[in-house]
Amino acid sequence: MENNKNDAQKNFKDDFYARGHWGLKIWQTVVTLVCWLLFIIPGVITGMTYVAHLTRGRYGWFFWHYPEGMMTIAFLLTVLAFACGMIAVFCLASAFIQNQRRYGLSEKWPLVDLNQNQQEINLAEKFMTQHFGSPTVRHNIRTYTVRPEQNLATDQLKEIIHGKEQD
C-alpha cells in the first residue's frame, strides 16, 4: 500500500485530461493554436518569398523584395545543411559502432567500474552519516538545519571519496 502511495506522489495530474474543466481545455487549445500560427505563418511567408526568388516569380509569392533577406536565407540554409550533415555523420557513426559492439565485432569496455563505484558510495555514505546523522533521519525530515561547524570545505567530500583524507 505504501509503495502505491509513493508511486502516486511521483506522478503529476493535468486537469486538461481530467473529466470536466471545459473552460481550461478550450483556453489551452486556443492558446496552443495561436502559438502554432505565430510560428508557422512567418515561416510560410519566408519560404514562399524565397521560392519566388529562386524561381523568378513562377512559383510562390513575393511578400518582400530585400536582397539582404535573400542572402540571409541562403546563408541560414547553408548553415542548417552543414549542421544536419554533421548530425547525420555523428548518428551514423554511433549506429555503426553500436552495431559492431552488439554483434561482438569490436571490444566492449565497461563505462563504470561497479566495484569501485560501490566503494565510493559506501565511503560517502559513511562520511555523511558521521557528519550529518543517519540516512533515514536526513531523508525523512522536512527541514534540516546545518550547523556552521557541519559545513563542508571545498572538495572535501570528493577528497574523502578518492582517499585523500583532509586534516
Side-chain angles (χ1 to χ4, degrees):
M1 184 70 174
E2 185 175 321
N3 191 17
N4 290 339
K5 184 179 178 183
N6 289 339
D7 289 342
Q9 289 176 350
K10 292 178 186 175
N11 295 326
F12 63 91
K13 181 180 172 187
D14 188 359
D15 288 335
F16 185 87
Y17 297 104
R19 288 185 175 257
H21 303 284
W22 285 103
L24 176 70
K25 292 177 183 181
I26 292 169
W27 171 248
Q28 286 185 356
T29 303
V30 167
V31 168
T32 302
L33 291 174
V34 168
C35 289
W36 272 108
L37 287 176
L38 290 175
F39 174 74
I40 291 173
I41 290 173
V44 169
I45 289 172
T46 304
M48 296 303 283
T49 301
Y50 192 65
V51 167
H53 170 74
L54 290 178
T55 61
R56 294 188 168 89
R58 282 181 283 163
Y59 302 104
W61 295 283
F62 280 104
F63 289 95
W64 41 269
H65 294 278
Y66 305 112
E68 299 87 6
M70 300 303 171
M71 288 188 308
T72 303
I73 292 173
F75 172 73
L76 288 175
L77 289 175
T78 304
V79 169
L80 285 174
F82 178 75
C84 289
M86 294 301 292
I87 291 169
V89 167
F90 175 76
C91 290
L92 292 173
S94 296
F96 177 76
I97 290 169
Q98 288 299 336
N99 283 332
Q100 294 293 317
R101 289 181 71 193
R102 182 174 46 167
Y103 295 129
L105 301 174
S106 68
E107 180 184 349
K108 295 181 182 179
W109 58 91
L111 299 177
V112 176
D113 183 2
L114 295 177
N115 292 331
Q116 181 183 358
N117 190 17
Q118 190 59 45
Q119 289 173 353
E120 290 173 354
I121 290 171
N122 291 340
L123 278 172
E125 191 58 45
K126 180 180 172 187
F127 171 75
M128 296 304 268
T129 300
Q130 290 173 351
H131 206 71
F132 297 107
S134 71
T136 54
V137 172
R138 290 193 323 257
H139 295 284
N140 293 329
I141 194 167
R142 186 185 261 294
T143 304
Y144 186 86
T145 305
V146 178
R147 296 185 307 272
E149 62 270 8
Q150 286 181 305
N151 286 332
L152 298 178
T154 305
D155 294 332
Q156 182 179 1
L157 184 61
K158 180 179 172 184
E159 291 170 358
I160 287 170
I161 289 173
H162 295 296
K164 302 176 220 166
E165 289 280 340
Q166 190 179 27
D167 293 330

